Amino acid sequence: MPVSPRIEQLRQDLAGGPTDGVLARFWAEVALTGTPLIEPYDEEQRLVTFLWREEKPVGTVAVIGGPALWWEIPDNQLERLDGSDVWFRTYLVLADHRARYVLSPDDSLQPLAAAGTPEAVARAATFVPDPLNRSPFTLPGVVGDSVSPPQHFSTFALDQATPRDWCAPRAGVRRGAIRETTVASEVLGNERTLWLWESAVQGPDPALLVLLDGRDWNAALPIFPTLDNLVDAGELPPLVAVLPDSVDFTTRARELPCHEGFLGFLTDELLPWARTLTGATSDPRRTVIAGKSYGGLASVFAGLRRPDVFGTVIAQSGSFWWSPPGEEPEYLLRQVDHELSVRFCLDVGLQEGDWMIPQTQRLADALDQYADEVVYREYNGGHDLNCWLAELPTELHWAFRR
């Protein structure tokens, strides 16, 4: 295990005599700096130390997220420093890492259940954000037929991580108009909340962005200030953004993975409605669809099936492993077999596992044989909205470049 100089200094201080004052000073220092502890190592790497203060006896403490890969929970246990209330674990991490994480005292150390299942929801309820972290992050709860409460995380970004310079509201930047409404679909036989944003900078025939999983972007992240800033700075043209919600976990898992009906809802119901309301373009070269995870899968599927509507695709951490029941994995890869005038941007996190990266690379290579342009990008992070928001401005700039 990598060694934190600050923890080693604490170990030596504790060995030198009475511990109460030593520990009090240590925790006071941590409260001032925040957690995790970040220390230099070399030009490319940093030491990142996660901490837990034991206020009542615990048998184990695990960190889940960031460099502590969630599918390797038994390997991510913190160690208790002898004679103290300090639990710690140090990782050697590349200096461009961005992450979210939780701590799990008295963790069962069992593998996590599939997302959205009752077992996963119950397990997540035992996770806690880092009490001394200064960058909290909350994912909104899921409603409908699969109910789960909001999930609270802690985050950090090392000094070379992709900056999130565009996210905070800026003085003097006019805010776009935001409408929240409900739209019904005859194709799908359901209805959903939708957010429609129009940039304050106006122009004829504004460009059009469809951003899937709208509730995540609206409730958890500052997507609208980000778009305001990008358009105001000239990084994006006058723009209309349509953000449809995914209803609930079950509906999302049914509609986003390569679903012809959902694609029909987008092309035949949603976009005509948005264009009539806003005057947004019908030019596929200026119509972009973007999504993350299942939404990334849905976005690439839309570009393959309807290049006459979507001329540019952004897929962030796409779930390209997906296939219909009974079929071989990577169904979408087998659909790439024809020329099409579409541009694709596919990104994936270095912390997403040994399957996500090669799957994304294989799809990018296949698309490169047929599409107008393919961009493959890697970022140092996980399957994480915080990372996707950091990468999105660069990808939107690419998508809407003149």
Side-chain angles (χ1 to χ4, degrees), residues 96 162 346-350 357 361 376-380 391:
D96 59 352
T162 303
L346 279 58
D347 76 23
V348 66
L350 297 179
I357 296 172
Q361 290 172 331
Y376 170 81
R377 305 180 73 237
E378 294 177 348
Y379 61 86
N380 190 3
E391 303 302 323

Side-chain angles (χ1 to χ4, degrees), residues 113 257 283 322 327:
D283 183 352
W322 181 88
E327 293 197 24

Side-chain angles (χ1 to χ4, degrees), residues 52 89 92 148 155 161 172 174 217 231 256 265 273 292 300-301 322 327 380:
W52 176 262
R89 185 176 183 91
L92 188 59
S148 67
T155 72
R174 291 179 294 162
W217 293 100
V231 174
L256 291 190
F265 160 67
W273 170 84
K292 43 81 173 175
V300 175
F301 181 73
W322 181 88
E327 293 197 24
N380 190 3

